[in-house]
C-alpha cells in the first residue's frame, strides 16, 4: 500500500462545511467532504474576508471595460477590495499544492459564473470565472485549480487528483532531496505517470537527471517545472494505452502468450470506452506482486492517489 503525501489544498470555506454562503447555508459536496480527510485544508471565503456578512445581499460580476464585482442592492463596487484581498491572501501562502473552489461563485467560480451587462444583474452577458479565481489561475498556472462543479466529470476529477497528489509528493521530495541519487529515485517512481502525460517531457526530464551532478540545485528547479508542465495536460486514452503496453513489455518474458493476448484485448476495450483504466492497472499490480517486480510496485502510475477518492458518488 502506497503511503500518500498530504496535499496543501486551498478550499473555499463553504466547501469546508463552514456556513459562509450568502444565505448562511452549508454546502455538502460529497467529494469535497471526503477529500478533506486526505489533505491539509487552507479555507478561504473571499466575500466574508472583504467585510461582507452572513447572510448578505448577493454580489455579481459585471462586464464593463474590465470585470467588476458589484452588489446590486447597494450599488457598491467591490472590485478593488476583492483584488486587494486576493493579492494579500495569495502573497501570504507559503506552499500550496492546489485549489478547490466554489463553482458559479462571483468570487471563487472556476467555471459557470454568471456575468451580467449591467450593475443591477438583469441583463445576462455570459458565463466565466469569479474575480478571486481569476487571480488564482493567473498566479498558479502549473497547479490544479478546479471547482466542485467541474469535478463531477470523472475524467476531470481523476486528473485533478493525479496532479494534486503528485505535486504534493514533489514538494515533500524537494524539501528532503540532498543528492542526485534522490532525484534518480524520484524520477524512477514517476516514469510511467509522466510517460502517460508527455513522452517529450519525460525525455527532457531524463536528460536533466542524467546531467544533474553539474548543478544539482538548478537541476531540481528545471525538473520541477517540467514535472508540473507534463502533468498539466490530461492524457488521452491512446496515451494511457501506450503506457500500459510499455509496462506489459517490462513483464513480457514472464507472461504466457494467452495472458498477453488477453491484456491486449482489454487495452483495446479500454480505448473503445468499454473498460476503465483502474481494471487494467489492477491487473498490472497483480502481475507485479506475482513476479516480485519491485520496480513496477513502486510506480506511482499504478496508484497515483488514494483509491477511496475514486469511489465517491457525485
Amino acid at each position: 500500500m502506497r503511503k500518500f503525501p498530504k496535499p496543501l489544498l486551498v478550499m473555499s470555506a463553504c466547501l469546508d462545511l463552514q456556513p459562509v454562503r450568502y444565505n448562511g447555508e452549508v454546502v455538502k459536496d460529497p467529494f469535497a467532504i471526503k477529500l478533506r480527510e486526505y489533505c491539509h485544508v487552507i479555507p478561504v471565503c473571499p466575500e466574508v474576508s472583504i467585510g461582507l456578512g452572513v447572510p448578505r445581499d448577493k454580489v455579481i460580476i459585471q462586464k464593463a471595460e474590465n470585470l467588476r464585482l458589484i452588489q446590486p442592492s447597494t450599488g457598491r463596487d467591490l472590485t478593488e477590495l476583492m483584488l486587494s484581498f486576493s493579492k494579500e491572501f495569495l502573497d501570504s501562502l507559503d506552499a500550496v499544492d492546489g485549489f478547490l473552489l466554489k463553482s458559479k461563485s462571483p468570487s471563487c467560480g472556476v467555471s459557470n459564473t454568471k456575468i451580467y451587462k449591467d450593475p443591477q444583474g438583469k441583463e445576462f452577458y455570459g458565463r466565466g470565472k469569479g474575480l478571486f479565481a481569476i487571480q488564482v489561475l493567473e498566479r498558479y498556472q502549473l497547479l490544479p485549480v478546479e471547482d466542485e462543479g467541474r469535478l463531477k466529470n470523472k475524467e476531470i476529477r481523476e486528473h485533478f487528483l493525479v496532479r494534486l497528489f503528485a505535486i504534493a509528493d514533489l514538494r515533500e521530495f524537494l524539501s528532503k532531496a540532498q543528492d542526485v541519487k534522490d532525484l534518480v529515485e524520484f524520477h524512477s517512481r514517476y516514469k510511467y505517470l509522466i510517460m502517460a502525460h508527455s513522452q517529450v517531457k519525460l525525455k527532457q526530464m531524463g536528460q536533466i537527471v542524467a546531467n544533474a551532478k553539474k548543478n544539482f540545485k538548478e537541476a531540481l528547479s528545471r525538473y520541477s517545472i517540467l514535472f508540473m508542465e507534463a502533468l498539466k495536460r490530461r492524457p488521452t486514452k491512446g496515451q494511457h494505452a501506450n503506457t500500459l503496453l510499455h509496462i506489459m513489455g517490462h513483464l513480457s518474458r514472464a507472461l504466457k502468450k494467452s495472458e498477453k493476448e488477453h491484456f491486449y484485448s482489454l487495452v483495446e476495450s479500454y480505448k473503445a470506452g468499454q473498460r476503465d483504466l483502474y481494471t487494467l492497472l489492477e491487473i498490472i499490480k497483480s502481475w507485479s506482486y506475482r513476479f516480485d517486480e519491485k520496480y513496477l510496485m513502486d510506480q506511482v502510475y499504478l496508484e497515483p492517489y488514494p483509491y477511496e477518492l475514486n469511489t465517491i458518488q457525485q
Side-chain angles (χ1 to χ4, degrees):
M1 183 69 68
R2 183 185 165 204
K3 183 179 179 181
F4 293 95
K6 266 201 159 186
L8 300 174
L9 178 67
V10 177
M11 181 182 286
S12 287
C14 57
L15 297 176
D16 191 38
L17 299 180
Q18 297 184 30
V20 293
R21 292 275 284 158
Y22 72 97
N23 55 8
E25 293 182 359
V26 172
V27 178
K28 294 182 179 179
D29 180 78
F31 177 74
I33 291 170
K34 188 68 175 177
L35 184 60
R36 293 158 72 243
E37 299 175 23
Y38 296 87
C39 298
H40 294 295
V41 172
I42 304 166
V44 60
C45 179
E47 292 170 31
V48 169
S49 296
I50 64 171
L52 300 179
V54 179
R56 58 183 173 272
D57 291 343
K58 74 172 184 177
V59 292
I60 65 166
I61 297 288
Q62 180 196 359
K63 173 65 175 171
E65 184 176 345
N66 297 307
L67 293 180
R68 312 300 298 177
L69 185 67
I70 306 293
Q71 189 170 52
S73 64
T74 62
R76 292 179 67 192
D77 187 329
L78 302 164
T79 308
E80 297 310 317
L81 267 178
M82 182 59 71
L83 293 177
S84 178
F85 165 75
S86 300
K87 182 179 186 307
E88 182 180 338
F89 176 80
L90 298 177
D91 284 347
S92 75
L93 296 176
D94 182 18
V96 63
D97 303 313
F99 291 75
L100 177 54
L101 304 176
K102 181 69 189 79
S103 65
K104 303 181 182 180
S105 162
S107 56
C108 288
V110 176
S111 66
N112 224 19
T113 295
K114 288 183 179 179
I115 301 174
Y116 296 90
K117 295 178 181 179
D118 65 309
Q120 288 76 42
K122 294 179 179 179
E123 296 182 67
F124 181 69
Y125 173 79
R127 293 185 184 272
K129 300 173 175 59
L131 222 56
F132 175 74
I134 290 171
Q135 305 308 307
V136 171
L137 288 162
E138 286 181 359
R139 186 178 296 212
Y140 295 97
Q141 296 183 21
L142 295 180
L143 295 187
V145 180
E146 290 291 358
D147 62 42
E148 94 290 355
R150 278 175 50 83
L151 294 187
K152 296 186 187 306
N153 179 296
K154 185 174 183 288
E155 291 184 353
I156 294 175
R157 184 170 70 249
E158 288 176 350
H159 187 216
F160 174 80
L161 289 170
V162 167
R163 294 176 70 197
L164 181 66
F165 281 89
I167 289 172
D169 201 10
L170 175 69
R171 173 177 49 78
E172 289 193 356
F173 158 70
L174 292 174
S175 71
K176 300 173 184 176
Q178 296 183 343
D179 55 37
V180 175
K181 181 181 69 174
D182 296 327
L183 181 57
V184 170
E185 188 275 333
F186 182 86
H187 184 64
S188 176
R189 288 194 297 115
Y190 274 92
K191 175 184 175 180
Y192 289 117
L193 184 67
I194 299 298
M195 179 183 289
H197 286 77
S198 173
Q199 291 200 52
V200 172
K201 289 285 194 296
L202 178 64
K203 184 177 180 180
Q204 292 172 346
M205 292 161 71
Q207 291 170 345
I208 290 173
V209 174
N211 296 296
K213 285 184 179 179
K214 296 177 182 178
N215 188 328
F216 184 57
K217 187 175 180 180
E218 182 186 345
L220 287 181
S221 177
R222 292 170 56 213
Y223 182 91
S224 300
I225 292 170
L226 282 174
F227 183 89
M228 291 187 284
E229 286 179 346
L231 295 180
K232 186 173 181 178
R233 185 176 181 182
R234 184 159 26 126
T236 63
K237 288 185 183 297
Q239 287 172 302
H240 276 304
N242 177 67
T243 303
L244 291 165
L245 294 178
H246 265 86
I247 296 174
M248 197 195 73
H250 188 85
L251 296 162
S252 187
R253 292 184 180 181
L255 295 172
K256 298 177 183 177
K257 181 181 178 183
S258 57
E259 288 179 306
K260 288 187 277 189
E261 289 176 349
H262 178 58
F263 192 73
Y264 286 138
S265 70
L266 291 178
V267 170
E268 289 302 313
S269 295
Y270 162 71
K271 288 167 66 177
Q274 298 163 350
R275 303 273 179 179
D276 64 16
L277 182 62
Y278 177 76
T279 300
L280 298 173
L281 294 177
E282 285 299 301
I283 291 173
I284 290 174
K285 257 196 258 187
S286 67
W287 285 342
S288 302
Y289 293 132
R290 176 176 151 198
F291 300 120
D292 198 26
E293 284 283 353
K294 188 175 185 311
Y295 175 71
L296 289 184
M297 286 187 272
D298 287 343
Q299 288 298 312
V300 173
Y301 182 66
L302 300 184
E303 195 174 5
Y305 54 82
Y307 172 70
E308 294 79 5
L309 290 171
N310 215 22
T311 59
I312 310 298
Q313 294 298 317
Q314 288 286 85

